[in-house]
Amino acid sequence: MKYISTRGRIEPVSFNQAVMMGLASDGGLLLPESIPTFSRDEIDELAKLSYPELAFAVFTRFIGDDIPADDLRRLIQSSYAAFSTELVAPLKEVDGLYIQELFHGPTLAFKDVALQFLGNLFEYLLQRENRSLNIIGATSGDTGSAAIHGIRGKENINIFILHPHGKVSPVQEKQMTSVLDDNVFNLAIEGNFDDGQRVVKEIFADLEFKQRYSLGAVNSINWARIMSQIVYYFSAYSQLPFEDRKDFTVVVPTGNFGNIFAGWMAKQMGLPIKRLLLATNANDILSRFINTGIYATAQAQPTLSPSMDIQRASNFERYLYYLNDCDTKKLEEMMAVFSGSGSLEIGKELFAKVQTDFNATRVDDPATLATIKDIWQKTGYILDPHTATGVCAANRLRDQESKIGTIVCLATAHPAKFPDAVEKAIGQPPLAPPAIAALEDLPCRFDLIKADTDAVKAYVDE
Ligand SMILES: *Cc1c(COP(=O)(O)O)cnc(C)c1O
């Protein structure tokens, strides 16, 4: 399988090159040349597989023979052995809904599903090509810890993660700084998340430095992350009772459009998803787009679901490319309009298409808290605030339509990662699972550093 850029200005590349490239070198996002499909019979065969076997079946369609089958099996096996349940992404029945728990990886958020695999994949490709890589990124919490846990202890690869000192949650800080492997560097920045991001951007803009240290990124635009996320939509189908499999709706709390784009891909591949319902918090650029056809940024505001506090969805361009029937010229024009004015209107015809692809709802903090409380009172199950935006969206849909059918809500984080929001909702924090309770006593290591590009460069240098 070859990979092309949404901007159409690079020669097609292999899967391996696409993974190492991250962002396409013409500024676009990488996508497979064609979307592989499964017949309904094949999908019912897939439904009999274990999670790693399922991942193998899906991945091979995207990788072709770029990676020998035995090697790929081994990479998948070791990635998902890091999860605390063999199902990897188990479905739970809660209040007439199915909750798909994506938080059984090492950092208890769904980003582990992709980053555990990406870490192993990077190591494998680098060893094969006898190269090394230095990953640099800024985090506000979840992505940084999942990336560190994906890369720790790997050969030929270092990771430098900048987090705002004292401004990430205690659990997130511990999850990052208690990793003492030699290839992990935690930099606590004297500043906020935006300062960290600015520093990382400036470092990447220094092409000489970037090349000298062979810098790379692990952000959500890497194709291997989307590919990894497609698998759990198939896994949800496999776990549904037979009579519920036909035409189910999936509800996805989203910020960067990564998770829901993976669901859209799964549907194009033939999975019989009836509807994809997107939930945003008060940072609602995506739900406004789906309900009005206008994609316009607004000031980002902090909410109880911080991993969705995003006003510029980095994966959105991938969907826009398909919406424009793969017309790279038209897409490039649209992206130029958006980056010039911060706003884009797609017109009637495309808007009609969007509305057949997605439904969307905006869920503010009071509604999020009310949902956590309601589900807890009814069932004893505790939702994390991100997942709660999705469950609230599902409930609104159920109120509107009596015959909605099966609904699967993706649970993106364990509630114990966000104890303050949970306590606000139900008057008590959730019970910490062993992985979080154990963090208390672990020694930590980080280096405090000025939010200054030269200072961070000097650190990497050393
Ligand atoms: C990253 C994250 C999200 C948003 O995922 P997208 O890929 O941006 O859609 C939602 N919930 C949690 C807990 C996250 O960490």
Side-chain angles (χ1 to χ4, degrees), residues 425-443:
I426 66 172
Q428 62 190 71
L431 213 57
I436 286 187
L439 288 174
E440 282 281 334
D441 307 319
L442 293 180

Side-chain angles (χ1 to χ4, degrees), residues 92-99 375 379 395 398 405-408:
K92 300 270 163 78
E93 226 181 316
V94 178
D95 190 33
L97 302 165
Y98 290 98
I99 305 275
I375 294 288
T379 68
N395 285 337
R398 287 199 285 186
T406 305
I407 301 180
V408 174

Side-chain angles (χ1 to χ4, degrees), residues 13-58:
V13 296
S14 69
F15 172 82
N16 294 352
Q17 287 170 312
V19 171
M20 297 313 296
M21 202 180 264
L23 189 71
S25 44
D26 62 0
L29 299 184
L30 293 159
L31 281 169
E33 215 167 32
S34 62
I35 300 177
T37 56
F38 293 106
S39 68
R40 195 57 78 85
D41 285 347
E42 284 175 318
I43 288 172
D44 286 325
E45 284 304 308
L46 293 180
K48 299 172 185 162
L49 302 178
S50 69
Y51 194 94
E53 289 167 341
L54 180 61
F56 179 79
V58 171

Side-chain angles (χ1 to χ4, degrees), residues 108-111 142-143 220 225 229 252-260 286 307-308 310 314-315 384 386-387 412-414 417-418:
L108 308 181
F110 89 101
K111 293 189 172 66
D142 273 353
T143 307
S220 67
R225 285 184 63 174
Q229 290 171 211
V252 188
T254 199
N256 266 317
F257 209 74
N259 205 354
I260 194 143
L286 290 170
S307 300
M308 290 156 55
I310 286 156
S314 56
N315 268 291
D384 107 283
H386 303 80
T387 308
T412 53
H414 191 289
K417 265 198 112 162
F418 300 94

Side-chain angles (χ1 to χ4, degrees), residues 257 260-261 264 275-278 289-290 319 353-360:
F257 209 74
I260 194 143
F261 180 72
W264 184 86
R275 239 191 293 206
L276 287 161
L277 171 57
L278 176 155
F289 168 72
I290 284 157
Y319 174 63
K353 247 165 130 183
V354 171
Q355 294 223 300
T356 63
D357 281 339
F358 300 106
N359 292 63

Side-chain angles (χ1 to χ4, degrees), residues 110-150:
F110 89 101
K111 293 189 172 66
D112 289 327
V113 177
L115 285 167
Q116 282 296 310
F117 177 68
L118 187 62
N120 285 314
L121 182 61
F122 270 146
E123 179 179 57
Y124 172 79
L125 295 178
L126 290 168
Q127 276 176 343
R128 232 171 66 166
E129 293 166 22
N130 204 7
R131 287 173 50 195
S132 62
L133 184 69
N134 288 296
I135 303 249
I136 298 200
T139 189
S140 56
D142 273 353
T143 307
S145 55
I148 285 171
H149 284 262

